[in-house]
Amino acid sequence: MASNSPEYNFSEIESNWQQYWEDRKTFATSSKTSKEKYYVLSMFPYPSGTGLHIGHPLGYTGADILARYQRARGKNVLHPIGWDAFGLPTEQYAIKTGRHPRQTSIERIAHFRNQLRSVGFSYDYDREVDTTDSNYYRWTQFIFLQLFKRGLAYVDKRPVWWCEELKTVLANEEVIDGRSERGNYPVVRRSLRQWVLRITAYAERLLEDLKDINWPESTKKMQLEWIGKSVGATACFALDGFDETIEIYTTRPDTLLGATYMVLSPEHPLVPKITSEDNRDAVSKYIESAAAKSDLERTDLAKDKTGVFTGSFALHPLTGDKIPVWIADYVLISYGTGAIMAVPAHDTRDFEFAEQFNLPIVQVIKGDGTESLPYIGDGTLINSDEYNGLSWQEAKKKITTKLKEAGSGEESTQYKLRDWLFSRQRYWGEPFPVAWVSREDYDKAVESGDLADWLPKEPVAYTDESGTLYALPVPPKSLPLELPNVESYEPAGTGESPLKKADDWMEIWYQFETGEFLPARQEKPEGEKWIRASRETNTMPQWAGSCWYYLRYMDPKNSTQLASKEALEYWKTPDMYIGGSEHAVLHLLYSRFWHKVLFDEGLVPNKEPFSHLFHQGMLLGEDGKKISKSAGNGIDPVEVVNQYGADTLRLYLMFLGPLEARKPWNSKGIGGINRFLNKTWREIVGRDGNLSPKIRDDHQESEETEILLNQTIEKVSQDLDKLSFNTAISQLMILINHLHASDAFRLTTAKKFVQLLAPMAPHISEELWSRLGESHSVAWGPWPDVDNSKLVSDEVKIVFQVNGKFRGQSLIPKSSTEEDVLAIAKKEPRVIAQIEGKTIRKVVFVPGKILNIVAN
Ligand code: ANZ
């Protein structure tokens, strides 16, 4: 394989070895082995038009080093790659260029694969997955049917974020400050029919199981806050003059007697009913203005409080006092009950509101007496009748009990987590595997028993102007339900997906047992089980395909299961998952949710998908700013590969600092890494292209070299175990500098050095390994062992003193006795000079340190 050129010709070496790996399938993962497994997963890329970003090889190199290291240690390593290829940008591009997104996806994937290949990642390319491949998304649809049958998928008309520019609905998470995350376009509220996944049913488990996983604390905290568990109580306030009551949710029932007014969210269903004639105009205007704001804007503490009085009053459940009912947009319809009791003395928003509108403020919790209002700390109750003097915790319990006894309240737990809006009005996504049918036909299908295992307890139904339709699951054995071709991908702008235009796919004759279908414009086929149906126009969001891809890698070609039981039992979940912290919440939360559903279904053996998670830090531009097109501070990894080689890029990215740190690119440092590789080359390859004459097998290795080599093996192993790649590289630099300064070293020393370098700089290492006389790839190890007996020297430095003064020192075997040391000291000229003609009175020996001779 290796040439015998004396030069370090990186581009030739790198392309040769990449070809070698590909031809011999060096990194193909075996599925039949008794070896211990190691599964290292990188977050798979979205194959964007712009190609590889410098952030990709950063995290990917870290994962690749682990993969190569564990492979060399003898593990059966799974290190896969794939493509998260559905999504809006591809569709946008198709609209712009008039080319099918399938075509552009294929091209982009090929481009990405080539770029990744040029960096020398040890992927098993035979296990590639592509979320847009129907052999893949058939299982995405299959998992959807699991959710569907468990009642975890439903359809609802929802106020959703609509982006006029992108002509699509966005999830809450895709909206930042009232603008789309992608493209930064304005968004508005609009009510549309949507599929929704009941992730809230898993809120408690998603919270609870965070305890068992080894993730960065900051990421766990973000999930915790996103789920947002809060424990409080509900309480009912009767309305003066109406039969209805207002139910509120509070975390502070202890402050019940400080409630001086109530607030309903503008969207609250009681608003129209209780608004008096005089206030009707003002209320309608207010509702309209609130609709245009995002939740974030509405609850922002810094914003001026706005609101209007409804003209109605509620009755306090304990005192019977009449308190006014207002509406204000700082109360959200989506949280708790959409209504609050306002306690201005102890809540900042209520306080600002009360001040603004001159509403009474009654303090009911007393601190140490120096507090000012609003006071949100703890203390004892005042102005609260029978509860005066109680601590706030006690009062919380007692008042909740009192409400419960009166039948007007109870303990209640709330989560900030909302159900997951799971549909998009787009073409380039997974079709929903359902058929919309009439009640009559739905019942017919139910009675046939054909779909018995796949029907939810409650049918999923949707009613609009033209009536009610029922969602029938397509039989899983008929999957995939393929995305039809359409001529134009342009969204209709009405909230309908472009799929609406695929008439023969949309309006069909449908066989509910087999899933077969024919265009509705044709004649109805013969047979009991053929019914009239419509397809779902929406497609799934991009999150769907990335929710479970780590499972498919275990058994990517399986055509009867999403992965075989054996593969799932063997690989379980990734031993390490590396990716950016921008996925701290959404992708990682959605995946956990789906995984738990699969676990409940007995399809996967573990409760959690990712036991170990690591975030690579953000790489900044040379100017220290976030890399962006507009800042023009981007770094093209492929250019670096062309100019310096993949090994230099890899080492350099790892040497910039700890992998998890946020750090700027610094092109000056590349030269240093390049010199390190050149020096390594020069130490091993001679000027004539043969081995360097310094490498000699008859050479007696110095103790210093032996020790440094073993220390390096130990340090590099420990560093790779903890993903501390920069320090591992430093240690290798120390060793090569030492070898450089030595006259000669043994062949085995050179080989061990190359083995240690190989995970980080694999191409040059393969080349050197082969020149050192090895005929198989260095990738398969073995990883060098530390010789513990050679970790530390067995000699020790002893200082000689005469009458307490330094008179020389020497390296002496550790096992030496006092007499041995004294004998050596007596040969030291400076010692001789001091004791000549004198009598030795005493010798003080501190083993391993000092020998002091007292003489006069
Ligand atoms: C009375 C009270 C007194 C409150 C007090 C707080 C302090 P967390 O902790 O985040 O769960 N709240 C309830 N529903 C709301 C809604 N839909 N929109 C806006 N605010 C709402 O917040 C719970 C607290 O937020 C509740 O407790 C309620 O105000 C308010 F000294 O009730 B509290």
Side-chain angles (χ1 to χ4, degrees):
M1 186 62 226
S3 73
N4 57 359
S5 157
E7 299 310 319
Y8 171 39
N9 184 343
F10 63 81
S11 63
E12 195 184 303
I13 290 173
E14 292 181 356
S15 71
N16 281 348
W17 285 100
Q18 283 160 12
Q19 195 59 49
Y20 173 99
W21 296 328
E22 191 172 304
D23 293 346
R24 320 235 166 162
K25 293 197 187 292
T26 306
F27 308 119
T29 306
S30 163
S31 46
K32 293 199 174 40
T33 169
S34 55
K35 282 192 199 170
E36 197 185 330
K37 68 106 183 182
Y38 189 85
Y39 181 2
V40 53
L41 179 68
S42 290
M43 287 182 184
F44 66 167
Y46 171 73
S48 69
T50 43
L52 215 56
H53 177 276
I54 193 72
H56 288 119
L58 178 69
Y60 290 179
T61 300
D64 192 54
I65 294 172
L66 276 189
R68 288 175 177 274
Y69 168 58
Q70 296 291 352
R71 205 178 281 118
R73 298 217 83 144
K75 303 248 178 85
N76 184 30
V77 170
L78 175 54
H79 184 39
I81 192 73
W83 320 104
D84 187 16
F86 271 133
L88 188 62
T90 309
E91 189 177 307
Q92 298 282 100
Y93 185 76
I95 294 169
K96 227 170 55 196
T97 60
R99 297 169 62 220
H100 198 282
R102 159 114 321 262
Q103 196 46 43
T104 56
S105 290
I106 289 172
E107 289 162 17
R108 284 162 181 216
I109 288 172
H111 182 58
F112 247 75
R113 189 189 295 112
N114 274 336
Q115 291 196 324
L116 289 177
R117 189 177 175 277
S118 76
V119 192
F121 297 123
S122 62
Y123 298 129
D124 179 354
Y125 284 102
D126 288 346
R127 288 179 184 251
E128 242 179 80
V129 302
D130 167 1
T131 55
T132 69
D133 179 346
S134 62
N135 287 320
Y136 180 90
Y137 71 64
R138 121 178 225 194
W139 300 106
T140 311
Q141 292 173 328
F142 171 82
I143 300 173
F144 173 82
L145 290 179
Q146 302 286 351
L147 290 141
F148 179 83
K149 79 167 189 203
R150 293 181 155 256
L152 296 169
Y154 59 97
V155 170
D156 197 14
K157 192 152 189 150
R158 299 221 142 187
V160 290
W161 293 115
W162 172 259
C163 179
E164 194 52 47
E165 195 66 32
L166 299 174
K167 295 211 171 11
T168 185
V169 162
L170 300 172
N172 273 332
E173 304 84 63
E174 293 166 315
V175 175
I176 295 167
D177 293 340
R179 304 186 79 88
S180 63
E181 187 189 15
R182 238 181 235 283
N184 194 31
Y185 302 118
V187 296
V188 291
R189 282 283 188 190
R190 202 157 144 182
S191 257
L192 287 176
R193 188 182 64 89
Q194 299 291 338
W195 281 93
V196 187
L197 297 187
R198 218 179 291 279
I199 190 172
T200 52
Y202 281 70
E204 193 57 40
R205 285 166 64 189
L206 289 168
L207 202 63
E208 194 52 36
D209 294 345
L210 280 175
K211 297 194 186 92
D212 303 333
I213 51 183
N214 192 334
W215 282 23
E217 280 310 315
S218 56
T219 301
K220 284 194 189 184
K221 185 158 170 264
M222 280 170 78
Q223 294 222 341
L224 195 105
E225 285 169 2
W226 190 267
I227 298 167
K229 181 177 180 172
S230 118
V231 181
T234 55
C236 289
F237 287 63
L239 275 161
D240 194 23
F242 296 91
D243 293 338
E244 287 85 354
T245 57
I246 299 178
E247 191 186 18
I248 61 104
Y249 171 70
T250 177
T251 42
R252 298 290 305 273
D254 52 304
T255 63
L256 185 59
L257 285 128
T260 55
Y261 64 100
M262 304 199 67
V263 185
L264 301 183
S265 145
E267 298 85 2
H268 196 284
L270 279 176
V271 171
K273 173 124 198 190
I274 66 167
T275 301
S276 67
E277 270 319 308
D278 298 350
N279 298 288
R280 205 160 283 278
D281 272 359
V283 166
S284 336
K285 275 211 193 90
Y286 187 75
I287 292 174
E288 220 171 279
S289 73
K293 294 190 202 166
S294 73
D295 287 2
L296 211 73
E297 267 176 275
R298 285 172 51 160
T299 51
D300 189 345
L301 270 176
K303 290 271 158 62
D304 281 345
K305 294 288 161 295
T306 60
V308 280
F309 178 44
T310 60
S312 291
F313 291 84
L315 304 171
H316 193 283
L318 296 190
T319 64
D321 287 351
K322 271 173 74 166
I323 59 176
V325 180
W326 285 65
I327 66 171
D329 64 9
Y330 74 95
V331 175
L332 305 175
I333 188 64
S334 52
Y335 188 61
T337 59
I340 64 159
M341 66 173 193
V343 183
H346 304 291
D347 180 274
T348 312
R349 291 191 188 99
D350 297 347
F351 183 82
E352 287 170 359
F353 193 86
E355 294 242 289
Q356 176 108 2
F357 297 103
N358 261 323
L359 293 158
I361 300 173
V362 178
Q363 182 174 2
V364 290
I365 305 285
K366 193 173 169 341
D368 61 2
T370 63
E371 72 272 13
S372 55
L373 296 184
Y375 175 59
I376 52 176
D378 56 12
T380 48
L381 270 79
I382 55 170
N383 297 325
S384 299
D385 303 336
E386 56 185 293
Y387 305 102
N388 285 340
L390 291 181
S391 77
W392 69 281
Q393 290 103 323
E394 274 174 277
K396 197 169 166 174
K397 278 188 220 141
K398 289 222 158 117
I399 294 178
T400 309
T401 310
K402 172 93 177 193
L403 285 167
K404 213 169 174 174
E405 282 165 7
S408 54
E410 60 186 348
E411 296 98 9
S412 165
T413 300
Q414 297 289 328
Y415 298 89
K416 294 246 153 66
L417 185 67
R418 298 277 76 102
D419 277 345
W420 172 15
L421 194 118
F422 190 70
S423 46
R424 299 291 183 273
Q425 289 60 55
R426 289 177 192 162
Y427 170 71
W428 195 229
E430 299 87 347
F432 283 87
V434 295
W436 287 103
V437 301
S438 70
R439 178 80 215 203
E440 200 184 321
D441 286 338
Y442 186 85
D443 289 344
K444 192 160 142 195
V446 173
E447 275 156 32
S448 76
D450 292 334
L451 295 164
D453 295 341
W454 297 95
L455 295 168
K457 277 203 199 83
E458 285 294 316
V460 172
Y462 181 74
T463 304
D464 65 8
E465 312 79 52
S466 47
T468 304
L469 290 176
Y470 293 80
L472 209 54
V474 308
K477 59 176 190 282
S478 73
L479 294 175
L481 172 60
E482 298 215 26
L483 191 60
N485 275 326
V486 291
E487 261 164 37
S488 119
Y489 318 102
E490 198 87 45
T494 55
E496 290 286 5
S497 148
L499 277 180
K500 184 88 181 159
K501 296 178 216 152
D503 293 337
D504 288 350
W505 185 85
M506 267 318 299
E507 298 301 333
I508 50 174
W509 293 114
Y510 178 67
Q511 216 282 16
F512 58 75
E513 185 194 359
T514 60
E516 289 164 273
F517 60 98
L518 291 166
R521 61 185 165 76
Q522 294 181 10
E523 216 166 287
K524 180 174 189 287
E526 294 280 322
E528 268 293 290
K529 296 183 176 177
W530 283 94
I531 55 179
R532 183 67 172 82
S534 317
R535 289 291 183 195
E536 171 60 59
T537 51
N538 291 327
T539 55
M540 298 186 199
Q542 204 183 344
W543 306 110
S546 58
C547 262
W548 71 281
Y549 73 115
Y550 56 96
L551 297 174
R552 189 63 178 169
Y553 285 139
M554 298 175 188
D555 193 8
K557 307 230 162 77
N558 196 318
S559 57
T560 56
Q561 289 163 294
L562 66 87
S564 74
K565 224 174 170 63
E566 303 81 73
L568 287 160
E569 284 289 345
Y570 177 68
W571 293 108
K572 294 200 168 67
T573 57
D575 297 273
M576 183 57 78
Y577 191 21
I578 301 184
S581 57
E582 67 276 16
H583 295 293
V585 179
L586 304 176
H587 157 59
L588 289 167
L589 193 68
Y590 295 154
S591 266
R592 293 183 62 218
F593 166 44
W594 277 34
H595 193 89
K596 285 179 187 305
V597 174
L598 294 175
F599 175 78
D600 290 349
E601 196 57 40
L603 290 171
V604 294
N606 305 55
K607 281 201 282 188
E608 283 286 328
F610 310 119
S611 55
H612 280 71
L613 175 71
F614 190 95
H615 295 307
Q616 78 267 13
M618 166 128 32
L619 191 58
L620 305 169
E622 189 117 40
D623 51 6
K625 297 204 184 90
K626 209 176 147 174
I627 294 177
S628 70
K629 257 199 205 124
S630 55
N633 56 356
I635 298 124
D636 181 357
V638 176
E639 243 171 58
V640 180
V641 168
N642 292 339
Q643 198 176 343
Y644 298 98
D647 284 337
T648 296
L649 173 69
R650 294 168 59 110
L651 280 180
Y652 177 63
L653 283 170
M654 296 301 103
F655 197 59
L656 273 171
L659 185 57
E660 66 275 22
R662 186 184 164 92
K663 55 211 173 241
W665 176 266
N666 170 5
S667 46
K668 290 201 197 84
I670 299 184
I673 287 291
N674 211 237
R675 279 194 295 281
F676 163 62
L677 288 179
N678 275 296
K679 188 182 268 180
T680 298
W681 181 267
R682 275 279 145 261
E683 284 311 307
I684 295 176
V685 179
R687 304 255 164 228
D688 58 359
N690 294 320
L691 280 195
S692 155
K694 278 173 72 174
I695 301 177
R696 291 208 307 264
D697 243 6
D698 58 351
H699 175 69
Q700 172 63 45
E701 207 73 288
S702 74
E703 191 188 29
E704 213 185 338
T705 301
E706 295 263 32
I707 290 172
L708 184 58
L709 175 65
N710 280 285
Q711 285 173 341
T712 302
I713 298 173
E714 186 177 48
K715 173 118 177 80
V716 170
S717 311
Q718 286 168 353
D719 285 350
L720 298 196
D721 278 331
K722 52 182 202 235
L723 282 74
S724 178
F725 304 124
N726 57 328
T727 53
I729 297 168
S730 301
Q731 182 66 32
L732 289 170
M733 289 173 165
I734 293 172
L735 181 56
I736 204 70
N737 286 339
H738 171 81
L739 296 180
H740 182 66
S742 311
D743 297 334
F745 51 90
R746 287 175 70 93
L747 183 68
T748 51
T749 301
K751 283 187 180 171
K752 284 179 182 163
F753 177 85
V754 168
Q755 286 173 311
L756 295 176
L757 178 65
M760 292 168 269
H763 309 85
I764 189 174
S765 301
E766 290 277 24
E767 179 73 18
L768 293 174
W769 186 243
S770 131
R771 294 199 184 204
L772 287 165
E774 296 288 342
S775 54
H776 62 278
S777 164
V778 70
W780 293 100
W783 190 250
D785 283 326
V786 182
D787 181 347
N788 281 314
S789 71
K790 293 196 175 126
L791 261 187
V792 282
S793 170
D794 47 8
E795 289 186 321
V796 36
K797 189 164 67 189
I798 304 272
V799 166
F800 306 136
Q801 296 180 338
V802 178
N803 296 333
K805 284 215 176 94
F806 178 83
R807 298 296 175 200
Q809 62 185 21
S810 180
L811 276 177
I812 290 170
K814 270 184 184 158
S815 54
S816 311
T817 62
E818 183 176 329
E819 287 90 276
D820 298 338
V821 179
L822 186 61
I824 297 168
K826 281 180 171 169
K827 289 185 192 136
E828 170 73 30
R830 282 186 289 172
V831 173
I832 298 172
Q834 291 299 318
I835 59 174
E836 222 162 34
K838 292 182 184 162
T839 314
I840 294 179
R841 300 282 169 205
K842 200 172 150 192
V843 173
V844 183
F845 179 54
V846 185
K849 293 200 174 119
I850 297 175
L851 183 96
N852 184 22
I853 303 170
V854 182
N856 56 22

